[in-house]
Amino acid sequence: MPGAKERELRRRIGSIGSTKKITRAMELIAATRVVKAMQRAQAASPYSKLITSVIEDLASAGVQVEHPLMRQASTVGNVGIIVIAGDRGLAGPYNTSIMRSAERRLMSHRSEGRNYSLFCVGRKSARYFRFRNYRVDFAVSGFSDNPSYDDARRIAEAVQESFVSEETDQIELIYTEFLSMGVQQVVVVRRFLPLVEFDTIATEHVPHSRPSAKVEAAEYEFEPSADAVLTALLPRYIEARLYGALLEAAASEHANRQSAMKAATDNAAELITNLTREMNQARQDSVTAEIMEIVGGAEALSHAQGEKRNDAHMQIMFENIQQIEQQN
């Protein structure tokens, strides 16, 4: 019935309208958070620049030290993979892209006969690999949208412990690099450990930083010694790199969520428009059907009244004829 269809469409429009309000609110929240995440990444940039600059100075001084974090395994038998994903969904392809890239990388290492160790950051990544029966050696969650340096230190300690104890021979980092709001985010795979040689550390990507200028070795004196400074500095360098990756991943997650919620809001608005047109058509059909029923009823009543009047006339004529016959 047209009336029942109209009621159903009204119910659907109301439900979609409520969903639209939610997606719009989530879009605005994500837009605010992505700005804050970008500001945090920019605030952490001076530290990354400075620690990279100090390592450059040590490299220019010709420091050579055998540090466990620079151990180069003759044969890579076990590869550790750090997967940085989100704790929540509704972020478009953000989580899916990261986990598929990580799984492809993991399968590539397994095809070459290497074992693996998974370090999952974010609830989504841990659930994804556990559901597919992969072994997860380390998992943390609850801070993907607002990471702190302590979170980066906790992850870095677990990764360094695995590498220094030779449980893993190589560590790779997989996360989403945030470029800008106008540029699509991309999933990157970078070698995390062992560290590269000193003369190339400065050219390695550090989030939101630029390589500092080379300086003369004689301009600096290191206390107690350059080797001791480097030994203490390399773990901090690992933490800084990981913290920068967490900040970029957080900004990427918020940017993807904002884009996804905007698309959902636009789709809801378009769906409401289409359903409103369909409801108006159903209402028009309902009104037309009611008018047709009224017209049909009026015609039927008019026809019935006409027949009744004809019967009354015939009865009067018959009575008149009878009276005339009696008089005759």
Side-chain angles (χ1 to χ4, degrees):
M1 295 177 61
K5 183 178 181 180
E6 181 181 348
R7 288 192 296 271
E8 175 64 19
L9 290 173
R10 284 184 181 276
R11 186 189 65 79
R12 290 184 60 188
I13 291 173
S15 176
I16 295 172
S18 299
T19 303
K20 179 184 175 182
K21 293 179 181 178
I22 296 173
T23 56
R24 177 58 177 167
M26 293 182 67
E27 176 190 351
L28 296 176
I29 293 172
T32 302
R33 289 181 176 177
V34 71
V35 173
K36 292 182 179 179
M38 292 172 60
Q39 292 174 347
R40 292 188 65 196
Q42 293 173 358
S45 176
Y47 179 78
S48 299
K49 289 181 180 180
L50 184 58
I51 196 171
T52 304
S53 175
V54 174
I55 293 178
E56 287 180 6
D57 297 336
L58 291 168
S60 64
V63 176
Q64 297 294 332
V65 63
E66 293 184 2
H67 195 279
L69 296 178
M70 302 187 69
R71 173 180 61 86
Q72 298 285 346
S74 58
T75 302
V76 178
N78 193 339
V79 178
I81 301 177
I82 307 173
V83 185
I84 300 179
D87 291 321
R88 299 181 293 120
L90 299 177
Y94 172 74
N95 290 309
T96 304
S97 300
I98 295 172
M99 291 179 290
R100 287 180 178 175
S101 296
E103 189 172 18
R104 285 194 298 266
R105 191 64 180 168
L106 191 152
M107 293 176 66
S108 175
H109 286 302
R110 295 183 69 180
S111 65
E112 296 176 1
R114 299 171 180 170
N115 199 0
Y116 69 91
S117 296
L118 277 173
F119 300 87
C120 295
V121 180
R123 191 174 294 109
K124 288 292 183 179
S125 62
R127 287 180 177 178
Y128 179 89
F129 288 107
R130 282 171 177 162
F131 180 78
R132 285 159 178 76
N133 296 322
Y134 289 102
R135 186 185 71 256
V136 177
D137 298 274
F138 178 81
V140 289
S141 60
F143 55 82
S144 66
D145 57 344
N146 188 27
S148 65
Y149 194 86
D150 289 336
D151 298 322
R153 180 182 292 113
R154 181 163 42 135
I155 302 169
E157 288 175 353
V159 173
Q160 292 180 63
E161 180 181 354
S162 175
F163 185 79
V164 171
S165 63
E166 299 187 5
E167 294 179 4
T168 54
D169 301 315
Q170 180 177 311
I171 304 290
E172 294 180 348
L173 176 63
I174 301 178
Y175 69 103
T176 303
E177 181 181 11
F178 181 80
L179 302 177
S180 67
M181 289 298 298
V183 179
Q184 292 294 327
Q185 292 77 22
V186 294
V187 178
V188 295
V189 180
R190 289 198 171 90
R191 189 175 73 167
F192 193 70
L193 288 174
L195 293 176
V196 293
E197 297 299 329
F198 291 158
D199 56 352
T200 58
I201 280 182
T203 62
E204 190 180 27
H205 174 79
V206 177
H208 305 285
S209 67
R210 297 178 181 177
S212 59
K214 293 291 183 181
V215 295
E216 295 293 335
E219 294 183 8
Y220 289 94
E221 292 183 0
F222 297 95
E223 292 292 342
S225 66
D227 293 348
V229 171
L230 183 63
T231 301
L233 190 62
L234 286 179
R236 306 289 82 78
Y237 177 67
I238 295 296
E239 295 171 1
R241 290 179 61 197
L242 192 54
Y243 183 52
L246 289 174
L247 291 177
E248 287 208 16
S252 299
E253 180 181 358
H254 293 313
N256 276 273
R257 182 168 290 111
Q258 179 187 4
S259 178
M261 292 300 100
K262 185 180 186 305
T265 302
D266 294 341
N267 291 338
E270 182 179 358
L271 188 57
I272 288 175
T273 301
N274 295 334
L275 290 177
T276 301
R277 291 173 181 171
E278 187 176 352
M279 184 188 67
N280 292 337
Q281 182 64 41
R283 184 190 298 114
Q284 185 177 355
D285 294 341
S286 177
V287 172
T288 302
E290 291 178 359
I291 292 176
M292 292 298 296
E293 290 176 359
I294 293 172
V295 172
E299 290 181 352
L301 181 61
S302 176
H303 182 70
Q305 290 178 348
E307 290 182 350
K308 187 175 181 180
R309 285 195 299 270
N310 292 334
D311 292 342
H313 291 162
M314 291 295 294
Q315 182 66 27
I316 293 172
M317 291 177 62
F318 181 74
E319 291 177 354
N320 291 335
I321 291 172
Q322 286 181 344
Q323 289 177 0
I324 293 172
E325 289 179 348
Q326 290 176 0
Q327 290 177 358
N328 293 331

